[in-house]
Structures are given as C-alpha cells and as structure tokens.
Amino acid sequence: MAESTVLNLVLWLPVLGMVALLLAPRGSDRAVRSLALGVMLLQFVLAAWLYRRFDGSVAGLQFETRVPWIGDWGVYYHIGLDGLNVLLVSLTAFLGPLVVAGAFSAVQKSVKLFYAMVFFIQFAMLGTFLAQDLFLFYVFWEAMLIPMFLIIGIWGGERRIYATLKFVLYTAFGSILMLAAVIYLVYSLSQATGSLSFGFRDLYAHSLPVGVQTWLLAAFALSFAIKVPMVPLHTWLPDAHVEAPTAGSVILAGVLLKMGTYGFMKLGFPLFPDATRVLTPALMVLSVVSIIYGACLALVQTDIKKIIAYSSISHLGYVMLGLVSLDLLGIQGAIIQMVSHGLVAGGLFTMVGMIYERCHTRELADYGGLARLLPVYSVFFMILTLASIGLPTTSGFTGEFMVLLGAFNAAWPEFQAGNALPLTVAVSAVAGVVLGALYMLWLAQRLLFGEVKAPHQPFTDLVAREKAILLAFVVAIFALGLFPQGPLAKTELAAREYQDRVLGSRIEGVAP
Amino acid sequence: MDRTQLLLTLSIALFAIGLLGVMIRRNALVMLMCMELMLNGVILSLVTFASQSATVSGAVLVFLVFVVAAAEIAIAIPIVLLLSRRRHTLDVSAYSELKG
Amino acid sequence: MTMNLLTLIVLLPLAGFVLNGLLGPRLGKGFVSVVGCGLPVLAFLATVRGFMQLNGGDASALVETAYTWAVVGDFSFDIEFYFDRLSAVMTLIVTGVGSLIHVYSTGYMKDDASYARYFAYLNLFLFFMLLLVLGRSLLVCFVGWEGVGLASYLLIGFWFEDPAKAAAGKKAFITNRVGDAGFLLGMFLIYHALGTLDFDGVNAAFLGPVAPAVSASLVGILLFIGATGKSAQIPLHVWLPDAMAGPTPVSALIHAATMVTAGVYLVARLNGLYQHAPEASEVIAVIGLLTAFFAATIAVVQTDIKKVLAYSTISQLGFMFLALGVGAYGVAVFHVYTHAFFKACLFLGAGSVIHALSGEQDIRRMGGLARRIPVTFVTFAIATAAIAGLPPLAGFFSKDEILWFAFASEHGGSPLLWAVASFTALLTAFYMFRLLWLTFLTPSRMDEKTEHHVHESPWSMTSVLVVLAVLSAVGGFVHVPHFLEPLMPLPATDHALEHLEKPLIVFAVVTGLLGLAGAAFVYRGGLARAERLQRRFAGAHRLLSGKYYVDELYEAVLGRPLRWISERVFLNLGDRFMIDGSLHGLVGLAQRTAGRLSRVETGNLQFYVLLAVVGVIGSLAWMWRHG
C-alpha cells in the first residue's frame, strides 16, 4: 500500500471509528471499549509503520496527498509528513490507545459518546499536524475545540462548566484574530502572485514589509501563545486540567499543548522571520518567565493536578526557549522536549487518574506514604517524577539538555558582542532546573513517603491493564532518553530548514 | 383637487389612521382591525393606479393583497383568541415574555 | 577483550540492579546477596584486569565507544569510556571498597524487610558511579553525576516511612541540583569554546600552545560549584550531615568513600584546565580550607556517632580541595584513596557499634565497649589513628603531603594556608580520639538493657572491618601521587623552603599526638570534664552545636521568601488577581454591556412597532436627503 494512502488512513481512521460508534445500535459498554481500543491500536501500528518508513535524509514533505478541495478559493486538501510533524504525529498515535485504555474504568456514563469524542479530537489533532494548507490547518485547529468542550463539560469535575467555557472562549478569541491574519495574509499573497493560494509552500515564499509582518505575527502568536500556554495567557490551563476527566487531561497535556508550539514552529516564526527576529528578546523573556513562574506556582499548589498543570507551563517554556534560540541544538532539543513532555505529563496525569479512581480526592493533603500501600504504583510514579525533573537517561534530560545548551550556544556570542539579555535568559533557565526538582520531589515526598494515609482504603495496587499503560510510557521515556539519535536523525533536515527560514529575510528587496 | 388626488389622499389617510391605531391602541383585536385599515388604504391606492393604467397587473395585485389579508386575518384572530385564553385579556402589553 | 571490558565493568552493577529489583523480592535474600555482592566483585576483578592491561600496554589509556547518543549538526555526542591511571585508581576504589561494603551490608541489613530493594539501589549507585569515573566526556560524567545523586536520594530516604528521613533525601537532591546548575553552565562554556566535551580533549586544549578563547577560571569556578554540591563543600555542604539518616553502609559507601569524592575527581581529571586557572584554584583552596576548618569545629561538639563522622568527612574533603587548589592534584587523589579506607572503616565500625547497641547512636550513652566488641574496637582505633595522621598509617602519608604542598607549592601555597590546615589537623585528631574514647574506652554509660545485649557483629561485618583496617594501615605505602605523575605532575615547590620539609612532617606528627593527648585528657574519665568546659564556653558550644545556623539561614533567606513570593506575589497577586481578575473583569464587562443593551427589548409590541416606524421614516428621510 502506498505510504500516502496509509497516512490518509491514519488521519481518517478515527472518523470512521466515530461514525461506527455513533451509528451502531445500543451495544454493551464492553463492546464499545474494545472497538475504541482496537481502532486506536490499528492507528498506532500504521503510524509506527510510517515512522519507520520516514526517511530523514530527504528534504521536504513525504507521503503527500494534494487534491483540490475548494477550487475557487485555491484551497487544497494537502497533507504530508515532514521532520517537524513526524514525531508529533507518532506521539499522538502512541497516546491514542493509552488514553482509551486508561479511561476504561474511569468513564461510566455515555461511554459511546465519550469515545466518539476522543476519536474526533484525535482526528482534529492529527489534521492540524498534517495539514499543509492554511485553510485546512485552520479548520482542524478550530475543530479541536468542540470535542474538548464536550469532554470537559460532560465528564468533568465540579466546576467543569466554568473550566470548559474558559478554555473554549479563550482559545476561540485567539483563533478569531488569527483568522483575520490568515485572511489578510492570503489576500496579500493573491495580490502579489495574482492567484489565490493557501498552501504553506507559497506562503513561505511570500515577502512582506516588517511592520505588516509584526502585526500578522502578533495575531498568530496570540493564538499559539494561548495554546502553548505562555505566561500570561496561561490561566485557562490549571482550571481545564483540574476539571477535565483523566483522559481529557492526558490528551490536553500530551498533544493539545503541542499544537501551540507546533504552530509557532511551522507557521508563526517561518512565515514572519523578520518580525520574529525583532520580537526575539521579548519571546526569550516570556519563555524563561514561563519556566520560572510555572515552577514557582507549582510549588504552592494543593491539588495534585494543578501541580502537574503548572509544571507543564514550565516545561513548555523550555520548548519555546529552544525555538527562539535559533540554534540547531536548541531547535532539535525543543522538538524532543515536545515529545518528552507529552509522554511525561501524559503519564503523570494517567497516574493521578489511577489514584483518583481509588481515593476520589486530588488534594495532596489527603495522601501520604503511598509507597507502602501501592509499591508498584510508586515505582512508576518515581520514574515519571525523575523524567519530569530531567534526570539523565530519561527523555526529559535529552530535551532540557539540548535546549539549554542551544540557548547558551546562541547567547554566548551575543554576550561577547555586548548583548547580555540572551545570556541572562539562558542562565535563568538553567536555574529553572533546580526549581523543577524542588516542586516535583516535594510532590513525590508528600504523596509517596512519610506517614501512611489515604481515603477509601483498602484498595488494590495496579492491575495488569494499568501496568501495561504505564510500562508503555516508561519504555518510551527511556527509549527517547537513551537513544535519541533515531528521532533526531528524522527531524534534523526540517529543523535546519526552520532555522534557515527564520534566520533569512523575506522583506521585498532584501537578500535572504 | 381631481379625482386621483382625492382617492390617494383618502388612501394615505386610511393608512395613517391605521398605523396610528396600531401604535396607540392596546387592544389586540383593535390592532388587527387597524392593520386591516392599513391594508385597505394600500389596496385603494392600488385600485386608483390600476384604473389609470392599461395593464391588468394592478387588479391582480389587489386580489393578491385581498387574499393575503384574508388569510392573515384567518390566522391572526385564532392566535389572539388562544392568547387571550391564557391571560384573559386582550391587552398586548400583558404579553412581554420576550423581554430582555 | 579490551573493546568491551570497560562497558562490562559499567554494566555488571546495572544488571544487579535489574535482577535484584525485579526478581529479588520473589527469589529471597540468598539470591539477592549472591547477585548483589557477586556482580560488584566481578566488576572489581574486571577492573584489575583492565589495570593490568593498562600497565602492560604502551597506550596511556584504554578507550571504548559504547554508542552514539546524538548527532546534532557537526557535533557527535558519543558515549565513550576512558581508562587511564586516574580512572584506574578511582575505579579500583569504587569497585573494591564498594564490594566490601556490599558484603558488609549482607550482615547489617540482614533483618530488614526491604533487603532486595536495598541491594538494587546499591547496585544502581555503583553503576552510576562507574559511569562517572569511566566516562570520557563531561556528558557521560554528568549522567553518572546526576545518577549517583538519584541513588543517594533513594538510599538516604530508604526508610521512607519516617518523614524526616525522606526529607533528608530530598534536601540532598535539591542541594546537589544547585551545584549541577553550575556544572551545566561550565559544560556549556567548554562545549562552545572548545567544541569538545572529552576530558582528554579539554586538557589538551588548555595545555596546548594556543590558549582557548574562554576564561579557564570562569569554567573552573562553574565546574567547582558543581563539585561543592556533590562533595559537600561550603556553601552546599548542608545535605551531608542530614544524609546520615540512611543505613550506615550507605553512609560509608556513598557519603564517605565514593560519591562525595566525585567533585575531587572532576577537578583532578581536568587538571590541565585548572593549571591555567589561578583564580579558580585560589577559590578552591580557600573554600576547601574553610570547609575543613569549620566542619572540624562542628565535629568537636557532635554527640551522634555518625554525625561526627559526617562532619569529619566534610572536613577531609576540604583537605582534598585544598590540595587541588594548590596544584597538588595527585596528592588529592592520594587522600581520596586513603580516606576511602579509613573513613569506610570508621563508618562501618560505627555501624557495628550501632548494631551491637541495638540502634543507639548517641555517644553520650556509650562507653566501655573496648572489651565487649574487641574486633570493632581495634579496627576503629586503627582507622582513627590513620585519620589523625599518625605514622606509619595511611592517613599520615596523604595528609602530610597535603600540608607540605599547602605550605610550599608555587601554585598558591602559603604559610597561612598551612597554619590553618595544621590547626584543623589538630582538631581532627582531637575529635576523632574523643569519639574513640567516649565510645569505647570510657566507663560505660549505657542503659542496662542495651548493655546486656551488646554483642560483636557477625563475621560478614567484622571481616570487612579487618580488611579495611589493614588497608588503612598499609595502604599509604603505595605512593599514588608518583603513580599518577605522568598525568598530573606535582606542583613545583619553593626551593627556599625545601629544607623545612622534614621539620614539617615532625610537626604534623606532633600535632596528631597532641590531639590524642588532648582528647584523652578531657574525656578520660567520661563526660564530666567535657561538661564543665561546655558550661564555661556555653555560647561557643551553642554556635557549634547549631552548626553555625547555616540551615536556618538558608531557610530564612531562600526557602521562606521563595514560598512567600510564589504564593503571595505570583499566585494571589499575579495569577488570581491580575490575570484571572482581568479576564473575569472582561467577562463582567461583556455581561453588563449586554444587559444594558438588551433593555431595548421591552417585550412591548407597540414599542417595537414604534421603533420600526421610526426606522422606516428615518431611512426614507435619509434616502430623500442623499438620493
């Protein structure tokens, strides 16, 4: 089978699954769960096959499909894999079965609808990563809101309506500004070339004056920065995480947040390189603020999910730092950190869900000494904690190390030339690793060690299904930590291309 | 003032009285009657112009308006009747649930 | 066989970790003991083999590539192992003393429920420590560096149900992390300036003809910050005394013989860089000396047997850094070597005492044990004499060389350094013999029940004590600095002072004996005389018992402000009030505006009609005007 067909299959399989679920007659919950898991596993197998077949030494898109969609507007259904999205697509497909399996015991009402929504969101996320046409990208970007709204709003916690409304309205607000920018951008392109096109390739080649670039970048950046999330646009995340069901949190932390960083990497910065260079100092400062602010706030939370939510803000600050460092190490590190965070945060939220199912509380004060009550659970939790801290041999170290080294590498010549800001940012980011250890170990301490206490005892340690899910996370984390060369080889060309695009110039008349 | 002008004045007057009645009167049935007056004013002006032109389109329009007015009244009066059964009053200011 | 020898050495303990961790609880203590001790012993034998290969061949080092971790641009991060004379010394210590302590643990931890977990963690530690000392690049070293921090965390908090013990583990990790930030920055600078992270490459760059374009001192200080964390020097020394919460063999292995010497190893390994970093070397020497001095003063008043040894370790590490600071890298490693023997012997001996006394650790409640547990006593006494620097035991040789180079080295030696160091040596002898007297030689202050149960430790424990005591006695005759000279030349000494070398040796011995005499005098009859002194110098005693209140200082200056800022400023003011507040303000504004605008919808039909008519008239008028 041609790879492009398989890629389409990977994208549309969740839709087929969703339709099958919604149209199927009222069956048993077990049948629904099995079907959902089966579809997700199939998707993962196909995506893994594509990952193996992806050739890192070939530039440009692979496994492309490009057919006209809305011909009069120049909109094409154009999808493909390149170094920037291949890892994220693989991550999404990897998390799919884990999310589904993790929700088996957690979701008891409207099970069919729930898995249909999970499929829908999987489709929307994959579409965003795979789209190579701006219209298509925007459609998928917006499409993700509906299932997330429903997942949080129906199966969430007490304040779920507030949380889901906040999430949707906040994100939609950014998207509307982005739409305006998209329209202007395409209009501007059509004026220059005489034909309407939404394709990324054409947009990359379009030149714009710096002032215009800055406004457009601001509009795009607002939308992406809300998604990442970057401080100060982050307050929707803790609420969304706390109120969402476990599966929702895993999807949110695992993949959804990466859509923001992916947006920056694929669209925001390469489309407006001159404006990016002008805004780099501000972006650097915001990145390191995210790192430190997120870490500080994680330190004083009492709800376990909020701690991990704020740690996500902190970790993604590293990603942004890597992207704006414009150093190849930093960029590669940012990509790895995206995947690593997806695994680590996804794993941690899954574990919180497991403990919540047993004890029905997320307050840290209600727990203690779990290492005595749940020894197997504690081992996994400790491993994930260490990955979050960035212990060498885990994926967290790979990402953080490369980002920090890249940021430093870019900052030192600047410092010697008189500009001290990048170096201050880099050194502060290194200091952030201490804070990272501080709040995570504090969490592990309160949860696992000390005096034994937990509500609703006795309960069982992990069952086979839970162990399998966590083992998958842990194996992936160590694989990425010990053998990152495989993924790095696949992303290098695309990372270089990104670097060239952002370092180049696209003002008319200025040599690139 | 010749005949046309007189008829047109009459039709405007009918229309104006009807409009005023709709704006001022609060009884639902009276409002309906005033709306009929407005329609009739329009019909009168149509007839006036129709008699002056050679085509038959004016008369056709008159019949159209007649029929529509009749249909409208046939539906409006039962609606007012059903509404009045709820509130036991024909005062339109009593029906303000769509406020805000 | 060369090709995989080093990888084998590293992987053997890792296999132990996996086997003991996964299968240990199921297969029982016998399996765990055999695997847990056997694999480190095999690693030791492999190291000996490597050592012979090194000596036999003409290469200065064995190099093995395990695999390529990442390639970014033109730079390849490889996982490579490097075995030269320095690695040989360190690895022999790590695997040798490590194996002995594993054997000791089979006796000490015999009745512990988590026996398998203990050996798994201990093997894990050994794996990371070997990565640290065998790594060719700063990256591999860093992996080991953080890894031993992890193992330390797990082992300090081994009895995790006690929240204080778990907290001690966390404190160790966090303090180490602060140092690691410095390590990372130093590593980044090296990468940027030299384009290589390999130790031999870095040394060659600094020793070569062209000076690299980066300040050696800056890099030196950054890496030293990492070393202060790992090796418990001021200001990051606070974790080591708390680390005594872990099982005693852990204290012996990790917090005496091996992990804490990682900082010394790092500086010694990069001696090429430090030779060209006079400012950094000065900082190292001064901090080492200050640490040595202050830790010794605190040790004088400690009442927990393990805490005395902990502060003693900090102090001895300070001596090692003093040696490094004056350019005597080989001598520092020599002291690592001798210190491993006598300090491990002391800690294990303390473990034996604690075991004999069913858990008592307060020396005020010991005494009279010399006859009751003779093997422990004799080995402890030998090790004490070694640390006090009495000839011909091992400590005499290494400490003496440190003092000599502190005095005469042309790389920063001075009489002032020597004087403070000598005084510290005097204090060392004093507090160590104080410990010996109060624990073994004074009349018993034990309570009756404990006294009744006093028994010598099992053979698994005492045999190790004997081996270590013998090594403490004769180990000094292996002249390690001479062995390391091809790698680390000894610093030049001021010729004018050379005639003082012999007198200084005599002076040092006299110092040691003075310390012995002082301790014997004060503590001979028990605590009476000491208590009188304590009352007379109450203020000083409080200051020393309070460890100069450094922990309290950190909490007040760092801990509490951090939490206060995070909670009050960031959370309440920032997140809740400003960000969410403005969001909610916007939402409120939208709702209020909508509320006001919707007043147009009165629900009154006639009002709507009026509006429609007004609208029609208005538009007609407008069209008439503009038409």
Side-chain angles (χ1 to χ4, degrees), chain A residues 301-504:
Chain A
Q301 297 301 323
T302 53
D303 182 318
I304 301 178
K305 272 183 131 179
K306 274 205 169 143
I307 296 176
I308 306 173
Y310 280 108
S311 88
S312 293
I313 297 174
S314 191
H315 283 308
L316 287 165
Y318 283 105
V319 174
M320 291 309 299
L321 185 63
L323 285 179
V324 299
S325 70
L326 300 179
D327 179 282
L328 191 60
L329 263 173
I331 299 166
Q332 291 273 62
I335 299 177
I336 296 286
Q337 177 77 342
M338 278 189 230
V339 179
S340 166
H341 174 262
L343 293 170
V344 173
L348 281 171
F349 277 115
T350 308
M351 297 208 76
V352 173
M354 289 174 189
I355 198 77
Y356 184 77
E357 275 173 55
R358 287 163 171 79
C359 305
H360 303 294
T361 171
R362 284 186 312 263
E363 284 296 311
L364 200 49
D366 295 335
Y367 290 108
L370 285 184
R372 166 70 58 212
L373 295 173
L374 301 170
V376 183
Y377 178 91
S378 305
V379 169
F380 280 112
F381 196 88
M382 202 68 230
I383 295 177
L384 286 171
T385 301
L386 295 169
S388 178
I389 292 177
L391 190 81
T393 71
T394 63
S395 57
F397 172 70
T398 316
E400 272 179 20
F401 177 72
M402 291 175 73
V403 163
L404 290 172
L405 182 50
F408 188 87
N409 229 12
W412 190 252
E414 289 283 310
F415 175 66
Q416 292 181 315
N419 176 10
L421 180 69
L423 188 65
T424 319
V425 164
V427 172
S428 312
V430 173
V433 302
V434 180
L435 289 172
L438 202 57
Y439 66 75
M440 277 317 285
L441 283 184
W442 174 77
L443 170 64
Q445 178 110 342
R446 293 283 303 270
L447 196 64
L448 303 177
F449 304 135
E451 176 202 334
V452 177
K453 62 175 166 177
H456 298 125
Q457 291 178 49
F459 37 67
T460 50
D461 206 345
L462 300 180
V463 300
R465 170 182 61 94
E466 293 170 325
K467 276 192 248 194
I469 295 173
L470 292 176
L471 197 62
F473 276 114
V474 165
V475 166
I477 288 173
F478 278 119
L480 199 53
L482 291 169
F483 309 107
Q485 182 49 25
L488 283 173
K490 293 193 199 285
T491 60
E492 178 157 356
L493 272 182
R496 273 189 197 277
E497 204 175 278
Y498 163 84
Q499 189 185 29
D500 288 336
R501 287 215 176 101
V502 185
L503 286 175

Side-chain angles (χ1 to χ4, degrees), chain C residues 299-514:
Chain C
V300 169
V301 301
Q302 290 301 312
T303 53
D304 180 311
I305 189 173
K306 286 178 73 173
K307 288 252 165 89
V308 176
L309 294 175
Y311 282 103
S312 165
T313 305
I314 298 176
S315 184
Q316 293 301 305
L317 287 166
F319 270 104
M320 294 177 215
F321 280 104
L322 173 63
L324 292 170
V326 295
Y329 310 103
V331 174
V333 177
F334 189 30
H335 202 57
V336 168
Y337 162 88
T338 59
H339 178 262
F341 297 143
F342 55 69
K343 196 40 79 58
C345 186
L346 285 167
F347 263 112
L348 295 183
S352 185
V353 168
I354 296 171
H355 177 91
L357 288 156
S358 317
E360 181 61 69
Q361 290 185 212
D362 191 330
I363 56 180
R364 293 172 296 191
R365 288 201 282 274
M366 296 183 188
L369 292 172
R371 296 236 175 86
R372 312 288 298 271
I373 43 174
V375 180
T376 308
F377 167 64
V378 170
T379 53
F380 201 91
I382 293 176
T384 308
I387 194 176
L390 300 178
L393 304 173
F396 161 69
F397 290 98
S398 57
K399 187 179 289 190
D400 219 71
E401 295 225 23
I402 295 179
L403 289 172
W404 166 241
F405 282 108
F407 184 69
S409 164
E410 298 210 317
H411 265 259
S414 79
L416 178 62
L417 288 179
W418 171 82
V420 179
S422 291
F423 182 64
T424 311
L426 172 67
L427 286 177
T428 307
F430 177 76
Y431 68 68
M432 284 311 300
F433 281 110
R434 163 183 180 259
L435 186 63
L436 186 70
W437 246 265
L438 283 176
T439 311
F440 294 98
L441 294 171
T442 50
S444 165
R445 295 176 302 282
M446 295 185 275
D447 70 70
E448 257 193 59
K449 210 176 110 189
T450 321
E451 188 155 7
H452 183 68
H453 284 151
V454 168
H455 57 286
E456 184 62 271
S457 301
W459 172 87
S460 54
M461 290 164 67
T462 52
S463 58
V464 173
L465 288 175
V466 169
V467 172
L468 287 171
V470 167
L471 287 169
S472 305
V474 303
F477 292 107
V478 176
H479 200 242
V480 171
H482 180 70
F483 176 68
L484 291 174
E485 239 184 301
L487 284 177
M488 303 174 214
L490 290 170
T493 50
D494 191 346
H495 283 289
L497 300 170
E498 240 149 63
H499 64 283
L500 289 172
E501 194 173 351
K502 292 284 165 28
L504 283 179
I505 296 180
V506 173
F507 187 84
V509 176
V510 167
T511 318
L513 290 170
L514 266 178

Side-chain angles (χ1 to χ4, degrees), chain B residues 19 22-26 92 95-96 99-100, chain C residues 598 601-606 608-610 613:
Chain B
L19 183 59
V22 168
M23 287 202 297
I24 292 176
R25 294 303 294 265
R26 288 212 306 232
V92 291
Y95 304 99
S96 57
K99 169 181 167 159
Chain C
S598 71
E601 313 283 322
T602 56
N604 187 336
L605 190 58
Q606 285 163 321
Y608 295 161
V609 172
L610 179 63
V613 169

Side-chain angles (χ1 to χ4, degrees), chain A residues 7 47 50 72 103 117 126 147 249 273 327 444 481 491:
Chain A
L7 187 61
L50 284 174
D72 287 344
M117 288 299 106
L126 283 170
S249 287
D327 179 282
T491 60

Side-chain angles (χ1 to χ4, degrees), chain B residues 41-97:
Chain B
V42 171
I43 288 171
L44 183 57
S45 71
L46 270 175
V47 165
T48 312
F49 288 125
S51 67
Q52 289 187 340
S53 79
T55 62
V56 80
S57 49
V60 170
L61 266 174
V62 167
F63 273 106
L64 196 63
V65 176
F66 259 140
V67 168
V68 170
E72 175 217 325
I73 273 293
I75 297 179
I77 294 200
I79 290 179
V80 170
L81 192 65
L82 284 171
L83 276 176
S84 71
R85 282 213 192 132
R86 275 186 158 266
R87 290 287 163 86
H88 303 291
T89 172
L90 285 171
D91 188 336
V92 291
S93 58
Y95 304 99
S96 57
E97 270 102 352

